[in-house]
Amino acid sequence: MPKLLSGDAVAQFQRDGFYFPVPVLSREEAAGYRRHLEQHEAKTGKPLQGNWRHKTHLLFTWADALVHHPKILDAIEDVIGPDILCWTTNFFIKEASNPGFVSWHQDATYWGLDPDDVVTAWVAFTDATPDNGYMQFLPGSHKIDQLPHVDTFHKDNLLSRGQEIAVEVDKSKGVGVPLKAGEMSLHHIKLVHGSEPNRTSDRRIGLAIRYIPTYVKQTKVRDSAMLVRGADKFHNFDYEPRPQQDLDESALATHADSVERQVKALYAGTDKQAFRA
Ligand code: NI
C-alpha cells in the first residue's frame, strides 16, 4: 500500500518519469516558508546567493523541517522505498522580470550518483505558471540513456555549469508543470526538463529537494547526506547533522564541508571552487 500517492500516481511516475501536483503545504504555510527566506534576505540586503542556495537545509531550521516533512517523505517513500537520504537541496529562484532560465538537461549528468534511483521533490514557495517560468518535462525521457551535454556557463543559466543537452530535443512534446504555492512535483534524475524566464512582476521561488535510497553510491567523491527516514545499512555517505539554530557555528561548518564535497563532484574537470552566484 502506498503511503500517500495512489497506485496510479506511482505507475505514472514510473512510466513518465514525473508526477504532479502533490499538495504538501497550505497556502499560508508556503507563504511562511517564503517569509523565512525573505527575512534572511532582508538582513543581508540581497537575494540568497552562491553556495547558500545549495544544501540550504543544513543552514536553516525551517529548511531542515521542510526536508523532513512527513507528507513529502511519504510520497518519496512511495517511489524509492523506506530508507531515505536527503542528498541535497537547491533553491531555484527566478527574480521578477529576469532573464534567468534553465536549459534542457538531465539532472544525472554531473551528479555522480549510481544507480539512477534518485527523485526530486520540487516544492513551490510561490505559484509556478507559464508566465513565471514553470518547469517543463519531457514525458518518458527518463528511460532513454544519458544524453551528451555541453557546458555553456551562460550567465543567465541557473544550472551549475549552464549545461544543456547537445542533441536535438523535441520541445514540442514538453509538458508544463503548473503548481500552486505549497504543491510539489516529483521527477526522476534522468528526466529531460528545462524552464523559461520569469516575465511577471513577482519572484518565482521553488526548493528542489533531492532524495536517494540508502543503497545509492556517489562515484566521484566521498560525499555526505542526511538520513531523513528509515535505516541505512550501506553507509555510502557520511552523515550530516541537522541544524540546531539558524546559521550557528556548527551548521555553518557542516554546510561548508558538505558543499565543498559537492562542488568537487559537480565541477570535476573545471577550475570552479564554489557554486556560481
Ligand atoms: Ni534539473
Side-chain angles (χ1 to χ4, degrees):
M1 271 297 281
K3 300 202 84 158
L4 182 82
L5 303 178
S6 67
D8 281 352
V10 174
Q12 196 180 318
F13 178 85
Q14 285 160 355
R15 185 191 67 218
D16 295 339
F18 62 83
Y19 181 77
F20 71 91
V22 183
V24 178
L25 307 169
S26 69
R27 231 180 151 76
E28 294 69 37
E29 288 172 317
Y33 278 101
R34 177 176 182 171
R35 205 154 46 238
H36 280 302
L37 168 69
E38 292 187 338
Q39 279 168 353
H40 166 71
E41 292 178 326
K43 274 188 215 156
T44 63
K46 59 185 181 205
L48 192 67
Q49 278 176 356
N51 285 352
W52 284 26
R53 280 200 184 202
H54 307 276
K55 293 225 173 200
T56 315
H57 64 292
L58 301 179
L59 294 170
F60 297 100
T61 54
W62 53 268
D64 171 72
L66 192 57
V67 308
H68 288 86
H69 196 291
K71 267 193 191 166
I72 298 179
L73 292 178
D74 283 350
I76 296 300
E77 178 168 342
D78 288 340
V79 290
I80 62 171
D83 299 322
I84 304 171
L85 295 164
C86 175
W87 179 58
T88 196
T89 49
N90 312 99
F91 263 110
F92 283 90
I93 302 173
K94 288 182 176 163
E95 302 299 341
S97 308
N98 186 277
F101 71 102
V102 175
S103 49
W104 290 90
H105 69 285
Q106 292 170 303
D107 291 337
T109 309
Y110 296 113
W111 286 3
L113 300 175
D114 183 59
D116 287 332
D117 301 330
V118 182
V119 59
T120 295
W122 198 100
V123 183
F125 283 27
T126 64
D127 293 350
T129 68
D131 292 336
N132 72 8
Y134 67 178
M135 279 192 292
Q136 296 179 61
F137 292 154
L138 214 56
S141 53
H142 65 305
K143 291 188 176 163
I144 56 183
D145 285 341
Q146 172 69 49
L147 294 166
H149 286 58
V150 285
D151 298 340
T152 69
F153 289 101
H154 189 292
K155 67 178 172 47
D156 295 322
N157 193 319
L158 300 181
L159 297 178
S160 58
R161 295 171 172 231
Q163 63 268 33
E164 62 183 37
I165 291 172
V167 293
E168 196 57 41
V169 173
D170 186 358
K171 290 156 197 158
S172 70
K173 297 212 168 70
V175 170
V177 187
L179 295 172
K180 293 205 165 46
E183 293 179 340
M184 69 173 176
S185 59
L186 302 175
H187 72 264
H188 184 274
I189 187 172
K190 274 170 67 191
L191 186 77
V192 173
H193 60 290
S195 65
E196 294 190 353
N198 177 2
R199 300 181 186 87
T200 70
S201 56
D202 191 18
R203 316 173 84 187
R204 191 228 59 176
I205 304 169
L207 183 67
I209 312 174
R210 325 292 190 171
Y211 291 105
I212 56 178
T214 49
Y215 58 79
V216 164
K217 288 186 184 143
Q218 167 61 272
T219 60
K220 290 178 151 183
V221 295
R222 179 67 194 178
D223 209 344
S224 58
M226 188 183 282
L227 185 65
V228 290
R229 180 172 279 187
D232 175 10
K233 60 177 186 194
F234 297 95
H235 306 290
N236 291 335
F237 292 79
D238 294 336
Y239 293 139
E240 298 159 344
R242 303 178 68 170
Q244 298 304 303
Q245 283 184 50
D246 290 352
L247 301 176
D248 71 10
E249 208 174 306
S250 118
L252 289 168
T254 298
H255 180 261
D257 170 68
S258 175
V259 164
E260 189 179 333
R261 300 175 195 225
Q262 197 152 93
V263 164
K264 263 188 202 139
L266 267 50
Y267 288 102
T270 77
D271 59 356
K272 299 280 186 283
Q273 310 284 321
F275 281 102
R276 304 193 301 154

